[in-house]
Amino acid sequence: MASVLVCVQPARGHVGPTKPVVAALLEAGHDVAVVTGARYERAFADLGADVTVLDDEVDFDETDLNGSVPGRERLSGPKLGRFDLERFADAMPAQLRAVGRVLARGVDVVVCDPLFAAGMALAFRRGAPRVLVLGFVPLTAPMPYRPAPRGVAERLQGAALRRFMRWMTAPARQTARRHVRELVGADTGLSFMDWPMRSDGVLQLTCPGFEYPRELPTPVHFVGPTTTSSAGEHPLPEWWDELAGSRPIVHVTQGTVANGDLGRLVDPAVEALADDDVLVVVTTGGTAPGVDPLPANVRVADFLPYDELLPRCDLMISNGGYGGVNHALRHGVPLVVVGASEDKSEVAERVTWSGAGLGYARGSLPVPKLRSAARRVLGDPAYRRRAGELAAEIAAGPTLDDVVKLIVDG
């Protein structure tokens, strides 16, 4: 029996893929401690884990980020992304204090959220337990990474991206380096987002066909998506039987983070598909669509069980949440992704590169272009075929039992 510490940021998109791993570890008879925010204390305690709640100074409420994170409300766009990254890095000392209380009891291995900065300190600290990273964001190392450019245009685009990412990540990089030096006496030249490359391994929640191939300094295990979403978690709406009809089904979502303004993607997608012979199924995360009245071919719910919905879908239009996109790929659903916040531009790039759909690393698309993209993916069987190939890769990958063995046995 092993003692495992799991560190996870208190956000739905981070907790969702972590909970099945914690449950599997507990089911296998291992001791599991979790460090997370107050909002998710009960979710992990109900599984049987011992939960340590982060101090208020580094905890936050994902449903009211601007209210729970001082200084955030006045920012938007790239400046907001820069601010958020620096705040993640600056949480390192307080997170490490909470982690230290658990480590003092004895821990064999730490499984860490890539945005949980204390993991970076542990990766550089002598005598620390093994540190594994649960990769539920795109694998960007070395930050930013793209395959070898083809032609002048791609080289120029790559150079511009590198300049932008140096600016975007500079405060987080400097803050993380300072904390690591002060806390564990180590100097690191790494970007904050690249620290998993100093861990003992990454459990990447996708398949090889959805990640750029390259040589990396730490083992990367492609374990596929772990999140589950059943009818037991999200009840079926009264219109559910309509999904058994003959029309193609298009699922539209802005996920659980960047969904405050559905005018970025949901509303344009509803408008774009209003006259097409498809059934449009929208999940809003609780935000009301701005289109009123809704077209006759649109059905709306706050949340739906993905393991029931996605096998019925012919296309998913998403803003590029990594978990949702990989959930779609698990079921062989091709994609149109339009997103630029958080890690979403990276996801969009991988959708196009992998051949599973069309990705646009932008905050929004004009309605005509979005309509054209949806029709193109629906009309070309190559996208569905490629999504099916990635689904087969995921199905052939490690089971949760295998993931437990990777964590415990190394």
Side-chain angles (χ1 to χ4, degrees):
M1 182 175 69
S3 177
V4 183
L5 169 60
V6 178
C7 303
V8 59
Q9 291 279 21
R12 184 185 181 95
H14 298 231
V15 170
T18 304
K19 279 179 61 181
V21 175
V22 170
L25 284 162
L26 290 164
E27 180 67 22
H30 301 291
D31 288 333
V32 182
V34 175
V35 176
T36 191
R39 182 176 178 82
Y40 289 99
E41 178 180 12
R42 180 51 50 195
F44 287 107
D46 285 348
L47 295 176
D50 179 83
V51 182
T52 296
V53 175
L54 291 165
D55 294 341
D56 288 346
E57 64 183 288
V58 291
D59 199 356
F60 57 87
D61 180 357
E62 65 175 326
T63 66
D64 183 22
L65 287 173
N66 288 344
S68 61
V69 181
R72 193 178 190 275
E73 70 284 348
R74 66 178 184 271
L75 301 173
S76 62
K79 289 183 178 180
L80 177 58
R82 200 173 194 237
F83 174 89
D84 283 343
L85 274 177
E86 183 179 15
R87 186 180 181 279
F88 283 135
D90 202 29
M92 191 185 299
Q95 288 176 349
L96 198 60
R97 288 196 297 271
V99 167
R101 295 196 288 271
V102 181
L103 294 180
R105 306 198 299 259
V107 168
D108 299 308
V109 60
V110 179
V111 178
C112 200
D113 179 330
L115 291 177
F116 197 96
M120 185 175 190
L122 293 178
F124 282 90
R125 190 167 84 176
R126 292 182 180 179
R130 285 192 307 123
V131 178
L132 300 174
V133 176
L134 198 58
F136 41 70
V137 296
L139 191 61
T140 55
M143 171 67 91
Y145 182 81
R146 289 289 185 277
R150 295 169 296 181
V152 174
E154 286 194 7
R155 284 198 295 273
L156 292 173
Q157 183 183 39
L161 176 64
R162 287 189 293 274
R163 286 195 300 272
F164 172 75
M165 291 307 299
R166 281 196 295 270
W167 173 84
M168 172 73 79
T169 61
R173 181 173 62 251
Q174 294 162 5
T175 298
R177 288 176 179 176
R178 173 170 54 84
H179 285 321
V180 171
R181 184 170 57 251
E182 293 171 352
L183 292 166
V184 300
D187 286 314
T188 168
L190 290 178
S191 163
F192 172 58
M193 294 302 295
D194 285 352
W195 80 260
M197 295 300 99
R198 281 298 299 263
S199 73
D200 294 288
V202 178
L203 308 176
Q204 193 66 23
L205 304 188
T206 189
C207 59
F210 196 64
E211 188 50 73
Y212 305 134
R214 57 207 187 271
E215 294 295 326
L216 293 169
T218 196
V220 175
H221 308 278
F222 290 96
V223 302
T226 56
T227 304
T228 60
S229 176
S230 67
E233 183 179 358
H234 302 301
L236 301 179
E238 60 182 14
W239 45 260
W240 186 258
D241 288 346
E242 296 183 48
L243 273 62
S246 59
R247 287 185 292 179
I249 296 171
V250 179
H251 174 47
V252 181
T253 179
Q254 282 185 214
T256 59
V257 177
N259 63 359
D261 177 12
L262 298 187
R264 305 295 288 175
L265 180 62
V266 167
D267 293 346
V270 166
E271 183 179 346
L273 299 172
D275 297 323
D276 286 11
D277 187 24
V278 297
L279 181 64
V280 181
V281 177
V282 176
T283 54
T284 66
T287 303
V291 180
D292 187 21
L294 287 170
N297 66 339
V298 176
R299 304 293 179 267
V300 176
D302 288 347
F303 298 97
L304 289 171
Y306 267 14
D307 291 323
E308 305 290 335
L309 171 65
L310 291 174
R312 295 167 165 82
C313 289
D314 299 274
L315 171 66
M316 178 170 168
I317 300 177
S318 160
N319 66 343
Y322 194 68
V325 163
N326 276 285
H327 214 136
L329 294 176
R330 174 197 277 159
H331 294 285
V333 181
L335 297 139
V336 171
V337 166
V338 182
S341 64
E342 295 90 27
D343 58 348
K344 294 175 174 58
S345 61
E346 291 287 341
V347 178
E349 294 283 354
R350 283 159 173 76
V351 167
T352 298
W353 172 84
S354 69
L358 298 175
Y360 301 87
R362 298 175 51 179
S364 61
L365 277 186
V367 168
K369 190 164 186 176
L370 188 54
R371 181 186 298 117
S372 175
R375 289 176 176 174
R376 179 178 168 187
V377 175
L378 282 171
D380 187 343
Y383 294 110
R384 183 82 189 201
R385 185 165 55 248
R386 180 57 180 153
E389 290 170 355
L390 298 183
E393 282 190 23
I394 291 170
T399 65
L400 272 175
D401 288 342
D402 296 325
V403 173
V404 167
K405 291 176 183 176
L406 283 169
I407 291 171
V408 173
D409 299 331

